[in-house]
Amino acid sequence: MHPAERQTDYRWPLLWAGALVALVGAALLGVAISESEAWAEVAGALGLSLVGWGGLVQSFDAGVLALGPNPAGAIAGPKMLVAGTLVWLAGWGLVAAGIRRAPASTEGPSPAAGSTLYPRLARYRDFYWSTLGAYGGGILLAELVMLLLQTVLSSGGPSELGGVTPREAGGGASLPPTIAFAIALVVGAGVAFASGFVGASRAQRLSLPEATIGVFYLGLPIPLLLSLMERVPSLQLALGYRLREVTYVAGLLGRPELGYWLVFAALVLALVLGINTGFIAAGSGRVDLRLGFELFVARRHVAVFRPSLLLGALAVLMFGIIPPLIIYFIIRGAEAAVERTRVKSLGLADPLAAASAQHRMKLHEQSPTMMMTALSVGGVGVGVMALIIVLSVMSGFEADLQKKILGTNAHAVVSKYAGELPEYAKVMEQVKRVPGVVGQTPFIINQVMIASEGNVDGVIIKGIDPDSVGTVTDLPQNILPGGDLGHLEQPGKILPGRAVEDDDDAKPKDEEDPIIGKSSAPAKPTVLPGIIVGRELAASLRVVVGDRVNVVSPLGTELSPSGPIPKSRAFRVAGVFYSGMYEYDSKFVYILLKEAQDFFNVKGATGIELKVADIDDARRISNQVVRVLGGYPYRARDWGEMNKNLFSALRLEKLVMGIILSIIIIVAAGLIVATVIMLVLEKRKEISVLKALGVPDGGIVKIFLAEGLQIGVAGGLLGLFSGLAWCLFIEKVGIKLDPEVYYIPALPVRIEPVQTALAVIIAVLVTYLASIYPALKASSVEPVEGLKAE
């Protein structure tokens, strides 16, 4: 054994005994901390030690917390804590004693000792601190840049992280939170990519230890801090208002912690891509970004873009597996039979020509690598196609739901934190001057009971202004034939329904007065105020236009001879609306704003509903409205905040479905790994020749990465084409649905360009990452080993 070789002796009895003793010590420490009820304090002190921060210092602080004062009182006797600590340390001492360096060999140095080393080997270093700084500092800088950019771009001015408040209304342009997040993510990913590129170029290798340490120690603290901020009140108070734009975007998924870690994963992916690109570009000792020769070799190796392969894969994606395969085998079988017959006939006349023809026929047969390439392309195409179709259908449902919700509700609502809004006319004049507001209407909302002769139900009643409600919602367009929104202001035009009228509404008859003995004059029929009800509610109450209903408010009371009773008033159905959502059609009713003011004894309105020009910018515009009104006691809520749970659930469902369907692409990536490895095994001689001619390791990596990328690009483009074709087919031809069950006549489809492009990008990235390992294995082939058998 050479003295330079590091050999280790493991004494397994000591290792097992030490592990057992350390486990006992950990159990004693856990019991001691549990008795002191100090887990809340100790866990916080030990938490950072899990990622290496603090280490022994944090362990010491945990012991001090356990021994010192805590909410439950100090430990009565610290003997168990001390005993547990000593036992735990003794166990690790036994483990350390079980690992020993083997004694040095007595053999002398080899004949090669002291000779000149290969320059690349002489320059090799195990660890580069500069590379660690580039990787760790890059991921940390990328996270900080994202936080700062998101806050600055969303708030319309300098971030409060620097102590400067956002710009006042009209002081500068600001972006919608989603667009600001997209810009911040691109810039942050660019910073991470550049850092990885610089670090790998400096080390001229991948430097995985430096990358792991940098990401683990410098990349994790910020997502951990943001995740803890959602659960620790003190952190929320200290940082919540400064990072409110960040938490808002993360909360669009319903789980902010999930958003933080997804962004962290995206930044780590950008760092990995930068590391790999830097190694490829500078792995040979100089920056070489040329790809012409490598792409030429890669195209000749795999021949992915053959018309027969692409058309065959496209046919499978468009028409399924069975029909194209049946046609393929029929054609190939017929061609093979004809060719064999021709070769046999030729062999009778010219044996050498027949042998040559048979050799050419064998060359045209597909090799196993070509078959694996076709399967890989098809697998990536299936994954991309499924991802595009499913996400487009889910986006269609989301768009249909959003349209119905925003057709019934406003884009934003202005109100006070408490109390009514008597000055709503003055407020509407101020709001009208805010850029982006295209409509507004006052309203009063409350919960009541509504009763008819056939049924009774609890509903939400809304007092509206018929003249302005159409500028905010689609209520006028949703009124079914036979009703009229204008009848709320002119209830006398409501024609009586088919139902039998009550005595109050029936035509009065002449009656003889019992006292004076003369007939009294008939009283004028009472004109009941109008009310608009939903289609489902009308069916539940069994009423039509013109029928009478009674509205009872349990919140207000009226005095009667028998005491206070719930306030009640009769209305006549002026129309029936259909919004397309069961919840709205069964729970909403509308009356005139003035009638609501009288019925609920409200001065003014409950709030003002707004319609904005860009629904994605509703949050910023609503904040602008509040600033124009002077802030407290006014507040504004946009549609995303009012329906946060619903749309967060839809986004989370789409995200989870996308991740699940991406597994198909990951399976195809496994096929790509196998395909490229088979190419490496087939081309060992060619790789050795290229390296002997001076092609560096980076050039070999480029060749096989290009081969994997060609498979990913071909599969992604085929999946894109077939996915869009199926989406257009579903949209134009349609898959019929039962409107009584789904409230939509056909399966909705909405093709989103960003989402569609993202599916292809995911496929290309997965195939690129899957090709890295086979490419590195190809670059490690030594020329001597590859040519030894030749």
Side-chain angles (χ1 to χ4, degrees), residues 548-786:
R548 169 176 168 167
V549 295
N550 291 319
V551 174
V552 181
S553 173
L555 300 179
T557 58
E558 295 178 340
L559 293 178
S560 69
S562 59
I565 59 174
K567 184 181 295 185
S568 176
R569 181 164 299 178
F571 289 84
R572 191 177 298 280
V573 177
V576 177
F577 73 90
Y578 175 67
S579 66
M581 284 196 66
Y582 178 84
E583 291 78 7
Y584 294 153
D585 293 344
S586 62
K587 293 299 179 183
F588 270 78
V589 298
Y590 299 92
I591 61 175
L592 192 65
L593 182 66
K594 186 178 182 305
E595 295 292 339
Q597 291 172 343
D598 297 338
F599 186 60
F600 295 109
N601 195 23
V602 173
K603 297 180 180 179
T606 303
I608 302 171
E609 293 182 319
L610 307 179
K611 183 177 183 179
V612 300
D614 183 5
I615 60 174
D616 294 326
D617 202 18
R619 184 170 186 265
R620 185 193 64 82
I621 296 176
S622 60
N623 292 336
Q624 195 90 334
V625 168
V626 174
R627 286 197 287 269
V628 168
L629 296 177
Y632 186 84
Y634 298 102
R635 68 167 181 170
R637 294 180 298 162
D638 65 298
W639 65 272
E641 182 181 356
M642 291 185 291
N643 303 278
K644 179 180 178 181
N645 294 335
L646 176 60
F647 286 103
S648 297
L650 290 175
R651 295 187 189 100
L652 185 60
E653 182 183 6
K654 186 189 296 185
L655 174 64
V656 173
M657 187 62 67
I659 293 174
I660 293 174
L661 291 175
S662 298
I663 295 176
I664 302 176
I665 302 177
I666 296 175
V667 172
L671 290 174
I672 293 173
V673 173
T675 301
V676 179
I677 287 179
M678 291 181 67
L679 284 171
V680 172
L681 296 176
E682 284 185 359
K683 305 299 181 181
R684 285 177 64 89
K685 181 183 69 174
E686 288 80 357
I687 295 171
S688 301
V689 171
L690 289 175
K691 298 191 75 172
L693 292 175
V695 177
D697 292 347
I700 302 298
V701 172
K702 289 179 187 178
I703 292 173
F704 287 93
L705 279 180
E707 293 178 356
L709 271 177
Q710 287 185 48
I711 296 174
V713 171
L717 293 178
L718 289 177
L720 174 64
F721 182 82
S722 56
L724 292 178
W726 277 109
C727 288
L728 292 176
F729 173 80
I730 296 173
E731 183 180 6
K732 300 301 181 181
V733 178
I735 298 177
K736 303 302 180 182
L737 300 175
D738 187 358
E740 298 296 330
V741 178
Y742 299 99
Y743 276 78
I744 48 177
L747 191 69
V749 175
R750 181 185 181 185
I751 300 174
E752 296 184 358
V754 175
Q755 181 178 275
T756 304
L758 190 60
V760 180
I761 292 173
I762 289 174
V764 175
L765 285 178
V766 170
T767 54
Y768 178 80
L769 296 175
S771 305
I772 292 177
Y773 173 74
L776 293 177
K777 295 296 291 182
S779 67
S780 64
V781 174
E782 294 295 336
V784 175
E785 295 295 330

Side-chain angles (χ1 to χ4, degrees), residues 307-333:
S308 59
L309 189 150
L310 296 179
L311 291 176
L314 182 62
V316 170
L317 295 177
M318 294 297 297
F319 305 107
I321 297 177
I322 303 302
L325 286 182
I326 292 176
I327 297 174
Y328 172 79
F329 284 123
I330 291 175
I331 295 176
R332 288 304 300 263

